Amino acid sequence: MASKKILVTGGAGYIGAHTVVELYASGYLPVIIDNFSKSDRTLLQGIEKITGKSLVFYEGDCANKQFLKGVFQKEAKLEGVMHFAAYKSVGESVEHPVMYYRNNLDSLLTLLEVMKEQHVNNLIFSSSCTVYGEPDSIPVDEQAPFKKAESPYGATKQMCEQILEDAVKADQNLKVISLRYFNPIGAHPSAMLGELPIDKPNNLVPYITQTAAGVRKKLVIFGGDYATPDGTCIRDFIHIADLAAAHVKAIDKLLVEDKNKGYQYYNLGTGQGVSVLQLVKEFIEVTGVTLNYEIGPRRAGDVVKTYANPAKAHAQLGWSSQYTTKDALRDAWAWEKKNLNH
């Protein structure tokens, strides 16, 4: 029996690439799209090393309808799509809001149009816990209301989810699951795949590992005066391998559902809150590497404290996190050391 083909947009990015590996390991045949605006070809090589296979890849922009339609037509019988092709930096979105609205909304709208025209009805959408804004209560479950977004990035995820909810209501064939990530960290346990920032890292752990490796002189923690036990922000850090596994569970679910069950969404997190300072200290403990860090001013767009209640994903997707933050930090450091000469 032929493997089921899944189109993965943004499949050469950090989360997309790890999910491609997990899809392949689970018997699917991923077809990758990326335009390398926020990713590096190195991750495609990592995918090939882990899977032992050169997977089908198209270079192009998901907001380009002609390009996207061509991919769908060449790849007959696509069973579904996983959509990762979005910009994802909170800080950058504050500086360049129009760029974020243009890319994140256009790519989804174009994808939905082409999916409808080509009769592809299953979609997994890469969402974010930023849709909740500054939550009223912790841990955050899926019933939490969408508060005002703290950044343009968060606002694009709210808008995309609204678009998807409306599209599902209007089209009885369309089936969509949005996965609301908390804070993905770490690397593939093989150290052949990991987070490879273009220019300056936007996420905490690559900053930690690059500082530890001497690529950067120091790590600046954004804000030490928040209303938390140690004054730094609290997050739910989840291993990238756990996150990738959840996407496979989600597409498994959609493909066995014979009809649209309404718009579905799940939080993906560990359920544990860890402060930024705690994570830094845990890295030092796990690796034995001294780290030059200091507390700096707050960063625009950051919420104070958020972590997930992942019970719904556990109950309905049969998914729960398997790795610890220590596992994630160890894997991230192994990846960093391997790529020092990149």
Side-chain angles (χ1 to χ4, degrees), residues 1-6 24 26-29 53 77 79 252 255-256:
M1 186 178 130
S3 298
K4 292 176 177 174
K5 273 200 274 189
I6 305 295
Y24 185 77
S26 302
Y28 288 99
L29 194 58
K53 188 172 172 65
K77 295 186 178 165
E79 295 282 345
D252 287 347
L255 293 182
V256 299

Side-chain angles (χ1 to χ4, degrees), residues 132 138-144 179-180 182 236 238 246 249 253 265-272 307-321:
Y132 298 116
I138 306 285
V140 184
D141 66 23
E142 289 83 356
Q143 302 312 307
L179 298 175
R180 296 171 182 166
F182 279 68
D236 187 334
I238 176 171
K249 295 279 193 184
K253 184 176 194 291
Y265 41 87
Y266 298 91
N267 287 343
L268 296 183
T270 64
Q272 303 293 317
Y307 56 91
N309 176 348
K312 185 180 174 190
H314 182 63
Q316 295 184 19
L317 297 179
W319 171 88
S320 58
S321 59

